[in-house]
Amino acid sequence: RLVNGQLNPTMTIRPGETQRWRVLNASSNVTYRIHLDGHQLHQIAKDGNTLGETWTRDAIVLSPGERTEVLVQAGAAGTYAFRTLPISVGINTQQDTVLATVIVDGDPMTPEPVPTTLLPLEDFSQDTIAQRREITFQFSPPIGPNQSIFWIDHKQFGGDRDDQVVQLGTTEEWTIRNASMSWHPFHIHINDYQVVAVNGKPVPVRYSEDTTGVPPFGEITMRTRFEDFPGRWVYHCHILLHEDNGMMGTVRALA
């Protein structure tokens, strides 16, 4: 588990200092549950999109491809572990691992108040829905030792096929289902969305995003506005083995 290409690097911060951390999960298949011992993570952005309000958290789950931005305000002088906490990803549980060592040292600073209000958030949950779609991530039965086919809606990726045809100027609601025993991070190019429900239960809209982990045998419901970009792009599982073996579909947006 490397941070910026290094094994357990050291990061420094002064007591009371506030730093902005941009964190990317650049792995091909590892899910992280990031946590800083003795501190809280004040989340201010997700996948490049600023939140409407700061979300203070003890830990943040990042599946492959997800990004987050947090404010870290250092406490008392000392040494603290920035770690990934244990997390079940369906077929196994990833163990606690120290990612980096944070050293709080130097002349203390007077802590600045952590902001609470950030940028206005346009909430899609009240939009008129032009169309509802259901998309399912699936494994086929193994076709050989350690070899499966990865499907979306019983189809492998076809670059010449339009799987979803949408109209600019509309809002759609998609339910992304996971029909397997392992997590699949849903990722879409070009057009961000807002998750409005997980496993059928409404959740507060805090941000727009482009990558979301879909739990085993579970689902997310998201809403997306097609506003600016005619043409074609893809959506896929962000576990690269799954994507490369067919778990990808296409969108065509018509002006």
Side-chain angles (χ1 to χ4, degrees):
R1 303 292 183 262
L2 305 180
V3 174
N4 293 340
Q6 301 175 69
L7 182 63
N8 189 15
T10 297
M11 300 187 290
T12 58
I13 184 171
R14 292 164 59 185
E17 180 184 356
T18 302
Q19 293 184 354
R20 179 175 183 163
W21 293 7
R22 293 180 170 94
V23 187
L24 157 68
N25 182 351
S27 71
S28 62
N29 63 349
V30 176
T31 296
Y32 292 90
R33 185 175 168 222
I34 60 172
H35 166 83
L36 177 58
D37 289 353
H39 295 77
Q40 292 182 307
L41 303 175
H42 305 285
Q43 185 175 4
I44 58 172
K46 169 71 161 67
D47 297 343
N49 296 295
T50 304
L51 277 62
E53 298 178 348
T54 302
W55 187 11
T56 298
R57 314 174 67 182
D58 291 322
I60 299 174
V61 175
L62 294 177
S63 58
E66 283 192 272
R67 292 90 70 205
T68 189
E69 297 181 32
V70 299
L71 298 180
V72 173
Q73 192 166 83
T79 300
Y80 303 89
F82 178 55
R83 65 177 72 245
T84 178
L85 299 175
I87 182 171
S88 172
V89 291
I91 58 177
N92 57 39
T93 297
Q94 295 176 359
Q95 300 303 308
D96 184 305
T97 302
V98 174
L99 302 174
T101 298
V102 177
I103 297 177
V104 181
D105 193 20
D107 295 333
M109 298 179 65
T110 301
E112 295 285 345
V114 174
T116 55
T117 301
L118 301 172
L119 294 180
L121 177 69
E122 291 188 79
D123 188 341
F124 300 173
S125 63
Q126 302 304 312
D127 285 11
T128 299
I129 302 303
Q131 186 164 342
R132 288 178 167 84
R133 302 173 192 262
E134 296 180 359
I135 295 169
T136 303
F137 286 2
Q138 303 154 309
F139 291 158
S140 75
I143 58 175
N146 302 316
Q147 187 177 10
S148 296
I149 296 175
F150 298 90
W151 284 333
I152 295 179
D153 297 329
H154 293 287
K155 293 180 288 189
Q156 286 186 287
F157 174 67
D160 297 327
R161 183 183 68 231
D162 293 333
D163 294 302
Q164 315 296 335
V165 179
V166 304
Q167 185 70 46
L168 292 188
T170 65
T171 299
E172 294 195 359
E173 181 176 280
W174 294 14
T175 298
I176 315 299
R177 294 203 165 99
N178 180 354
S180 75
M181 64 181 67
S182 64
W183 282 80
H184 293 296
F186 171 79
H187 173 67
I188 194 165
H189 291 205
I190 304 298
N191 221 73
D192 291 346
Y193 55 83
Q194 296 176 354
V195 173
V196 297
V198 176
N199 293 331
K201 296 181 179 180
V203 296
V205 173
R206 300 182 185 274
Y207 41 66
S208 296
E209 56 190 309
D210 62 30
T211 309
T212 310
V214 185
F217 301 109
E219 65 183 41
I220 63 168
T221 303
M222 63 85 156
R223 292 187 172 188
T224 183
R225 290 174 177 171
F226 298 102
E227 296 180 303
D228 301 322
F229 303 104
R232 299 179 79 238
W233 59 86
V234 297
Y235 55 92
H236 56 87
C237 176
H238 217 293
I239 294 176
L240 299 189
L241 173 69
H242 300 176
E243 168 199 331
D244 291 351
N245 284 277
M247 196 173 276
M248 185 187 303
T250 61
V251 180
R252 180 180 292 277
L254 304 177

